[in-house]
Amino acid sequence: CESNDRHMASKDYDVVVVGSCMTDLVSYVPRLPKPGETIHGTRFSIGFGGKGANQCVTAARMGAKTAMVAKVGNDSFGHQTLENFKLNAVDASCVGVVDGLSSGVAPIAVDERGENAIIIVSGANSHLSPDDVVAASSLVQSAAVVVCQLEVPPQTSLVALKRAKESGATSILNPAPAQTELDENLYRYCDIICPNETEAELLTGQTVESIADAGQALKLLLDQGCDKVVITMGSQGAVFGTREHPEAYHVLAEQVTPVDTTGAGDAFVGSLAYYLAKAPQLSFQDIISRSCKVAAVSVQRLGTQTSFPLRHELPDALFAV
């Protein structure tokens, strides 16, 4: 991937994601094992994942023109990841293939209630560098929306957020996996920070279990310098606030029976990016509400990317403007 002028004439891409690619190794179990315990699983599957790839594929399946900036290993998982991007119409011209490193993998256990536990082995993801983002600058700066997470080095995400701000793109930071401290510049350069309740707890040092708790955490995050905060709360929906209107607004989620919650947060973030790019005239509350509905669809299906709906599988009302 080389910086050039071919992307620079306009916002050629709706969503560009700078982030991780993983191969999910999913075991379905009656319940999650206790430390030191061995239990029998009921089923095993291999699928595509990684927060960055998940968010990009969600937006692409909903109809956004997307591209990915990432790294994979020169192995079977890496080559299959590139083919998966092609099948989902994601531009992977800035996905590098690295010799001598494995692709990222994520062993996942999913219990009968749909709850999960995940281990991340970053592999090539940890070698996505700020220089890689600089090399992909023309692609990043051609996007209406740029999305970053923390499954790649935080300084790499920071460079992407800075490039987004320079070009006038809307930027989203999904601060996952959870960390106790973030470089303050990550807050300053992202337009929207979107943690889940666990991530919000670690970022603020506050308990986030109730909607009221989320409202308090939201104010602390706004104080760090970002323009908008969205805290996803699983079945409770989402809480959001803005620097202009710092009071907490609660958006309810549809109550469904989950079969697998893996990737639900990524479905939300990818949907958020889609709507910000394709329907910016909608209110922020409406965008969050629609994103919650897409995430609710995903938890009713098994797998990670296999659970993300295609546009024709979603109600027309979700695309009305």
Side-chain angles (χ1 to χ4, degrees), residues 23 48 68 256:
T23 298
F48 299 102
M68 189 81 197
V256 299

Side-chain angles (χ1 to χ4, degrees), residues 143-227:
V145 177
V146 174
V147 186
C148 299
Q149 324 76 33
L150 300 177
E151 281 185 342
V152 299
Q155 289 305 306
T156 301
S157 292
L158 178 57
V159 171
L161 294 172
K162 287 181 176 179
R163 287 290 193 270
K165 190 165 285 290
E166 289 169 2
S167 69
T170 298
S171 61
I172 303 171
L173 174 63
N174 174 218
Q179 298 189 8
T180 53
E181 295 182 5
L182 284 187
D183 183 330
E184 63 182 15
N185 287 314
L186 286 166
Y187 293 105
R188 289 177 48 227
Y189 281 97
C190 75
D191 295 310
I192 303 165
I193 190 166
C194 185
N196 65 18
E197 63 268 55
T198 303
E199 292 146 7
E201 280 191 359
L202 284 173
L203 291 173
T204 64
Q206 305 287 314
T207 298
V208 181
E209 295 178 351
S210 67
I211 299 304
D213 293 339
Q216 293 300 313
L218 182 149
K219 291 180 173 62
L220 292 173
L221 291 172
L222 285 172
D223 287 343
Q224 297 297 318
C226 44
D227 187 50

